[in-house]
Amino acid sequence: MSLPPLTLRDVTLRPVIVPLKRPLVTRILTIENIALLLIDVHTEEGVTGRAYLWGFTPRGCGYLAGLIEDIVASCAGDAIVPERLFAKARKGLTMLGHQGMTLTAISGFDMACWDALAQAAGQPLATLLGGRTDPIAAYNSTGLGIIDADAAADEALELLADGGFAAVKIRLGREDFAADLAALRAVRRAVGDDILLPCDFNQCLDLAEALKRGRSLDDEGVYWIEEPIVYDDFTGCAELASAVTTPIQIGENFYGPEDLARALATGACDYVMPDAQRIGGVTGWMRAAGLAEAAGVPMSSHLFPEFSRHLLAATPTAHWLEYVDWASPVLAEPAIVENGHLPIPATPGAGITWNEDAVSKYTVDY
């Protein structure tokens, strides 16, 4: 891959708190507002690469900002060659560890650098990565939290109609599994048999309960069972994958492609779904995609649809894109789903530009 010459200058970081169109209710927490850290990487050549991270809280955005500032300070004046910068950043933060917030900060920096390179090359990021440019199949993940069964059925129809989706995710994990089944069956009756219904437990079960519920869900026609137990219990996930017929989906909490490799070696899942801000940005994603290809495992995305569409376009075992609209209020051109697919924009880069009026409105202090 031939990369255009760019030189890192500095970075601008802005935290925003954006209200969600629909509060997302899970067993673990309810999300009503999203804390995002907006990243602008500036180059000596005048090209600005953009990305954003989910900081979870304003203070979390501040932690990430400090790490990114340290990375940029150590790399200022360097050529933007992502593999080299990725390695340099990891080495520079070694004493803080190679996972958690350090890798998240590196991921955000890496994504912005790749965006700058694609802009300079005059190509969509997907094209620069050697990927296709046809639209990416997506499922709607902006709702269907743990709510009343009748309300869930109504909301499922709204979510499917908002973009012509053929798949929508439902969150499970109520204290009483009978209530989970009631909501799931109400949604199924409402949407019909042709709609795909992946379900997500958000890590809320212990292994024994996950085995019990997983075997019951085998009779309910769910598309996959996502993160039924704590994310790093690969041995427990392997037991589930062996005992339950419905595919087990994990990966949003993989910290780097090394975690994905360990999960595959353990037999912990049938599908993987890395998250761009935890897997290592574009650089980490592409390494993970190679591992998934070698194992023949379908690979979906978690959040960040603006970047994930480009990443999946270059993923040999690309599966499903998780669509959320969380960043849309601060984007000048939000990602729009058409007939259940997210198009790859023809504009150079990842297609991220800020709606500066909205950014000013939602900006907060760390």
Side-chain angles (χ1 to χ4, degrees), residues 7 17 30 47 59 136 145 181 195 277 329 339 348:
T7 307
I17 299 292
T30 296
V47 178
R59 188 178 293 271
I136 306 298
L181 288 177
I195 296 299
Q277 82 168 30
N339 297 318

Side-chain angles (χ1 to χ4, degrees), residues 36 42 60-61 146 165 361:
L36 303 176
H42 307 291
C61 289
I146 296 181
F165 292 92
K361 176 181 178 180

Side-chain angles (χ1 to χ4, degrees), residues 75-89:
C75 298
D78 288 359
I80 295 186
V81 180
E83 290 278 353
R84 295 177 190 170
L85 294 180
F86 188 90
K88 185 174 183 177

Side-chain angles (χ1 to χ4, degrees), residues 8 39 41 68 71-72 75 85 105-113:
L8 178 64
I39 304 169
V41 165
I68 294 172
I71 293 168
V72 173
C75 298
L85 294 180
I106 293 169
S107 298
F109 171 64
D110 180 88
M111 287 190 282
C113 286

Side-chain angles (χ1 to χ4, degrees), residues 88-133:
K88 185 174 183 177
R90 284 191 102 174
K91 184 176 182 180
L93 296 176
T94 291
M95 297 301 290
L96 296 175
H98 286 164
Q99 296 189 332
M101 298 197 84
T102 55
L103 185 53
T104 300
I106 293 169
S107 298
F109 171 64
D110 180 88
M111 287 190 282
C113 286
W114 275 105
D115 178 47
L117 287 169
Q119 289 184 57
Q123 301 175 357
L125 178 58
T127 302
L128 185 66
L129 295 173
R132 54 196 174 90
T133 57

Side-chain angles (χ1 to χ4, degrees), residues 144 151-161 168 186-188 190-191 197:
L144 279 190
D154 292 339
E155 187 166 278
L157 293 173
E158 295 172 6
L159 293 172
L160 290 168
V168 61
V187 169
R188 175 57 75 193
V191 303
L197 293 178

Side-chain angles (χ1 to χ4, degrees), residues 174-261:
R174 296 161 178 81
E175 289 285 352
D176 181 2
F177 184 47
D180 265 352
L181 288 177
L184 178 62
R185 289 168 180 171
V187 169
R188 175 57 75 193
R189 287 193 298 272
V191 303
D193 293 336
D194 294 335
I195 296 299
L196 301 181
L197 293 178
C199 71
D200 188 354
F201 281 99
N202 294 106
Q203 308 179 62
C204 72
L205 306 177
D206 60 29
L207 180 57
E209 185 66 15
L211 285 165
K212 174 184 173 183
R213 295 193 186 198
R215 291 187 179 110
S216 294
L217 289 173
D218 282 341
D219 298 323
E220 299 296 330
V222 298
Y223 189 59
W224 71 55
I225 298 171
E226 185 176 332
E227 286 207 322
I229 62 176
V230 64
Y231 76 91
D232 57 354
D233 184 359
F234 292 160
T235 301
C237 284
E239 185 173 343
L240 276 166
S242 177
V244 174
T245 302
T246 306
I248 301 299
Q249 170 79 281
I250 65 173
E252 68 185 70
N253 287 293
F254 289 157
Y255 279 105
E258 299 85 356
D259 270 359
L260 185 146

